């Protein structure tokens, strides 16, 4: 960050953050720096946000923050819940559903996030934070069951309920009214359509994707 702030040509720096800095949200939250992270990962992301915030206040560093709901779409890492569920359906693999899938999430297609990010790079207010989220909210279990119906698979033939992961937040509910009202952004891809396109990507590349692991691998 210190090297970046010395670059005279830098007009805007879009910092992609995460709703995990808020911890679990029991209600819709607007953009703020009232953080309550519940995992080491979320703590590190909150620290980075605050560091850049201090650079904006001290030096006028031209940062714009984004926090997006759960992003998905073709090309996503295979350990994420949507491609992992789709591969389980297509390959007959068991899907471990942590905590029974009771946590609540909002999913947004990567194309909508990309459009919003470009808009903010061009028009976002320096020092401001913007939430990127769709309007459809549901549990992970509901999402998995929807994918199973699309793939014409009985969820009982795929899902294994497992204990919840330590530190998992129950819900992320991001109010995205700010970017909608201020810059006229709106998500264009409904969840059903986005899932269909992602499943098509899985089917088109199944011979390759089935060779890759679907578990998260930590890289030093």
């Amino acid at each position: 960050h210190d090297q970046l702030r010395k670059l005279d040509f830098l007009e805007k720096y879009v910092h992609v953050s995460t709703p995990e800095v808020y911890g679990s949200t029991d209600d819709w939250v607007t953009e703020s720096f009232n953080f309550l992270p519940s995992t080491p990962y979320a703590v590190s992301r909150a620290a980075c946000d605050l560091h850049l915030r201090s650079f904006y206040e001290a030096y006028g560093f031209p940062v714009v923050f984004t926090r997006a709901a759960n992003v998905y779409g073709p090309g996503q890492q295979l350990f994420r819940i949507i491609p992992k569920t789709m591969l389980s359906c297509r390959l007959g693999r068991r899907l471990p559903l942590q905590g029974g899938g009771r946590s609540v999430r909002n999913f947004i297609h990567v194309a909508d996030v990309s459009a919003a990010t470009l808009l903010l790079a061009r028009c976002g207010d320096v020092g401001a934070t913007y939430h990127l989220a769709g309007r459809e909210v549901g549990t992970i279990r509901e999402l998995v069951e929807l994918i199973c119906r699309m793939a014409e698979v009985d969820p009982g033939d795929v899902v294994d309920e497992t204990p919840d992961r330590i530190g998992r937040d129950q819900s992320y509910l991001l109010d995205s009214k700010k970017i909608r009202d201020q810059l006229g952004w709106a998500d264009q891809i409904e969840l059903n359509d986005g899932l269909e396109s992602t499943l098509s990507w899985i089917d088109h590349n199944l011979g390759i994707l089935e060779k890759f692991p679907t578990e998260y691998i930590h890289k030093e």
Side-chain angles (χ1 to χ4, degrees):
H1 296 165
D2 199 46
Q3 292 297 315
L4 287 171
R5 77 174 180 85
K6 297 173 183 176
L7 301 177
D8 294 337
F9 62 82
L10 188 64
E11 297 180 10
K12 193 78 65 70
Y13 180 79
V14 179
H15 177 66
V16 178
S17 184
T18 170
E20 291 191 46
V21 298
Y22 298 127
S24 186
T25 61
D26 296 327
D27 201 353
W28 294 93
V29 294
T30 56
E31 294 85 349
S32 75
F33 281 86
N34 298 320
F35 295 162
L36 191 62
S38 55
T39 65
Y41 168 77
V43 169
S44 71
R45 297 302 302 273
C48 189
D49 285 15
L50 292 171
H51 191 252
L52 282 169
R53 182 71 180 181
S54 73
F55 269 44
Y56 163 70
E57 294 175 349
Y59 309 114
F61 185 70
V63 61
V64 175
F65 299 90
T66 72
R67 298 194 186 107
N70 289 57
V71 184
Y72 75 98
Q76 188 176 30
Q77 306 101 316
L78 300 183
F79 65 86
R80 301 293 185 182
I81 187 62
I82 288 176
K84 187 171 184 175
T85 301
M86 291 176 174
L87 282 171
S88 294
C89 289
R90 289 301 191 232
L91 300 175
R93 297 174 180 172
R94 303 299 296 184
L95 176 73
L97 194 58
Q98 295 177 335
R102 288 183 289 274
S103 55
V104 176
R105 294 291 185 270
N106 170 271
F107 285 83
I108 183 169
H109 195 277
V110 65
D112 286 326
V113 173
S114 297
T117 304
L118 179 59
L119 179 64
L120 292 173
R122 290 171 170 165
C123 307
D125 290 340
V126 169
T129 302
Y130 296 87
H131 285 167
L132 313 178
R135 300 182 184 277
E136 298 177 80
V137 175
T139 66
I140 296 296
R141 174 171 282 280
E142 289 170 341
L143 176 74
V144 168
E145 290 176 348
L146 174 59
I147 293 171
C148 286
R149 288 196 297 274
M150 286 183 174
E152 299 182 341
V153 172
D154 187 329
D157 294 336
V158 174
V159 173
D160 286 329
E161 291 195 17
T162 62
D164 215 343
R165 172 171 55 84
I166 296 175
R168 177 188 291 274
D169 295 320
Q170 171 58 27
S171 62
Y172 299 132
L173 300 174
L174 300 182
D175 186 330
S176 57
K177 188 173 185 293
K178 183 176 180 178
I179 188 174
R180 294 174 186 275
D181 291 352
Q182 188 179 115
L183 299 178
W185 174 84
D187 51 313
Q188 302 295 319
I189 302 175
E190 295 184 359
L191 182 61
N192 271 44
D193 294 335
L195 291 176
E196 290 283 6
S197 70
T198 306
L199 184 58
S200 293
W201 169 74
I202 290 284
D203 288 339
H204 183 72
N205 297 282
L206 190 60
I208 298 172
L209 297 178
E210 67 179 344
K211 300 174 184 177
F212 289 92
T214 56
E215 302 301 322
Y216 174 74
I217 299 174
H218 181 72
K219 298 179 179 179
E220 297 292 343

